[in-house]
């Protein structure tokens, strides 16, 4: 492998319409092992940003920090600022449950609850105090339509979600995440466990969703990043190396390391 000057950085700065940004974000595991080394970057509203980089480069760790999911990992510590609009949501006093209603997450493995398709979505809203059946029906239908699953399941809403195919289950998880109308949707390799057709459908759904949501997706699939995202961030070894328009990253990156990675020469 070629040697690179990893201290060079090419980080795009956006002038306006930023919904989320981090400043000097660091993540430590087991007290002192620093996995993310001070990442400062911005996420523009109603755009899809892809995080790419080799396995172990810190993409998932960084993504999980954005809605405080690292709080659930024993021994993990996050420092620096995570600005959601004007609030630093990395402050201890911030209500994590409220954060996750604004910044939702879809995981690599579809993880529907062992409940009916309907209840997978309705349950959160019932817990929030919505009792009216008509209102719940409407929430379920809207979310399933946005996730492009409604037509396939509308006659089987009471069937177990566990009987869905992998692609359908992932779309149910997307529906569940968007049913609480978040601003931002974090997706960690949402299609990596799916077949090519389901993957394509998820990508189409994302393109639809970006009209209403800001999406940040981790993917190791370079074609996927170039197909769906507006901006691409290249991570390596816990650092953000280059961040720019997707087209630029894939056709004319500023750094040799980025070019070698996107052309498959390492990682
Ligand atoms: N729960 C964890 N506990 C300890 N170390 C972790 C944990 N999750 C990830 N790491 C470490 O943090 C680094 C970044 O991992 P990760 O964020 O999963 O990378 P990526 O998603 O890019 O593959 C790796 O060295 C990994 O071993
Ligand atoms: Mg990962």
């Amino acid at each position: 492998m070629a040697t690179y000057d990893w201290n060079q950085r090419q980080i795009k700065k956006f002038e306006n319409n930023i919904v989320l940004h981090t400043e000097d974000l660091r993540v430590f595991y087991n007290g002192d092992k620093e996995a993310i080394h001070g990442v400062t970057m911005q996420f523009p509203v109603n755009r899809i940003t892809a995080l790419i980089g080799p396995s172990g480069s810190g993409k998932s760790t960084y993504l999980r920090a954005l809605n405080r999911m690292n709080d659930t990992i024993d021994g993990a510590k996050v420092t620096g600022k995570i600005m959601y609009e004007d609030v630093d949501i990395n402050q201890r006093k911030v209500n994590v449950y409220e954060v996750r209603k604004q910044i939702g997450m879809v995981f690599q493995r579809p993880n529907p609850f062992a409940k009916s398709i309907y209840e997978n979505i309705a349950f959160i809203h019932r817990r929030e105090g919505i009792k009216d059946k008509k209102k719940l029906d409407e929430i379920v239908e809207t979310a399933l339509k946005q996730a492009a699953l409604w037509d396939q399941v509308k006659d089987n809403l009471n069937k177990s979600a566990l009987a869905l195919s992998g692609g359908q289950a992932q779309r149910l998880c997307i529906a569940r995440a968007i049913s609480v109308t978040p601003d931002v949707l974090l997706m960690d390799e949402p299609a990596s466990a799916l077949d090519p057709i389901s993957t394509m459908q998820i990508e189409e759904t994302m393109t639809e969703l970006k009209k209403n949501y800001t999406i940040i997706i981790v993917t190791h699939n370079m074609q996927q990043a170039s197909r769906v995202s507006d901006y691409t961030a290249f991570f390596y070894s816990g650092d953000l190396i280059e961040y720019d328009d997707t087209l630029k990253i894939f056709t004319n990156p500023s750094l040799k390391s980025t070019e070698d990675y996107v052309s498959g020469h390492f990682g």
Side-chain angles (χ1 to χ4, degrees), residues 15-59:
E15 301 307 317
N16 47 27
N17 296 329
I18 301 305
V19 60
L20 191 67
H21 75 268
T22 64
E23 285 173 32
D24 197 31
L25 187 95
R26 289 167 198 271
V27 181
F28 302 83
Y29 286 119
N30 307 315
D32 57 349
K33 188 178 161 275
E34 191 178 284
I36 296 290
H37 312 300
V39 169
T40 298
M41 71 184 293
Q42 307 173 316
F43 299 97
V45 73
N46 293 127
R47 294 289 178 268
I48 301 179
T49 301
L51 312 183
I52 64 168
S55 177
S57 57
K59 307 178 297 295

Side-chain angles (χ1 to χ4, degrees), residues 14 54 121 203 220-221 249:
F14 298 86
I121 297 168
E203 289 178 11
H220 65 253
N221 180 331
I249 292 285

Side-chain angles (χ1 to χ4, degrees), residues 21-165:
H21 75 268
T22 64
E23 285 173 32
D24 197 31
L25 187 95
R26 289 167 198 271
V27 181
F28 302 83
Y29 286 119
N30 307 315
D32 57 349
K33 188 178 161 275
E34 191 178 284
I36 296 290
H37 312 300
V39 169
T40 298
M41 71 184 293
Q42 307 173 316
F43 299 97
V45 73
N46 293 127
R47 294 289 178 268
I48 301 179
T49 301
L51 312 183
I52 64 168
S55 177
S57 57
K59 307 178 297 295
S60 297
T61 299
Y62 179 77
L63 192 78
R64 280 198 301 267
L66 298 178
N67 73 344
R68 300 275 303 265
M69 283 306 273
N70 287 324
D71 287 21
T72 63
I73 297 175
D74 266 354
K77 187 178 86 183
V78 180
T79 67
K81 287 185 180 166
I82 305 167
M83 302 303 296
Y84 170 59
E85 286 160 356
D86 293 332
V87 181
D88 179 3
I89 57 171
N90 199 31
Q91 298 171 88
R92 199 165 298 241
K93 65 177 186 209
V94 167
N95 180 333
V96 197
Y97 184 73
E98 293 300 320
V99 165
R100 292 184 195 144
K101 280 204 295 193
Q102 300 303 325
I103 307 175
M105 191 154 202
V106 174
F107 298 88
Q108 185 167 2
R109 299 242 149 236
N111 58 346
F113 304 130
K115 296 175 187 286
S116 69
I117 294 167
Y118 184 94
E119 277 307 312
N120 260 271
I121 297 168
F123 142 88
I124 315 166
H125 300 274
R126 213 176 270 120
R127 194 179 62 189
E128 291 273 299
I130 299 174
K131 300 267 173 357
D132 181 23
K133 172 88 167 76
K134 246 195 168 141
K135 179 77 192 148
L136 288 171
D137 287 355
E138 191 186 304
I139 290 170
V140 170
E141 180 172 340
T142 304
L144 288 171
K145 279 182 173 163
Q146 286 194 329
L149 187 58
W150 174 250
D151 289 338
Q152 286 168 54
V153 301
K154 62 176 192 284
D155 300 322
N156 295 306
L157 293 176
N158 294 320
K159 277 207 178 147
S160 169
L162 301 183
L164 294 171
S165 72

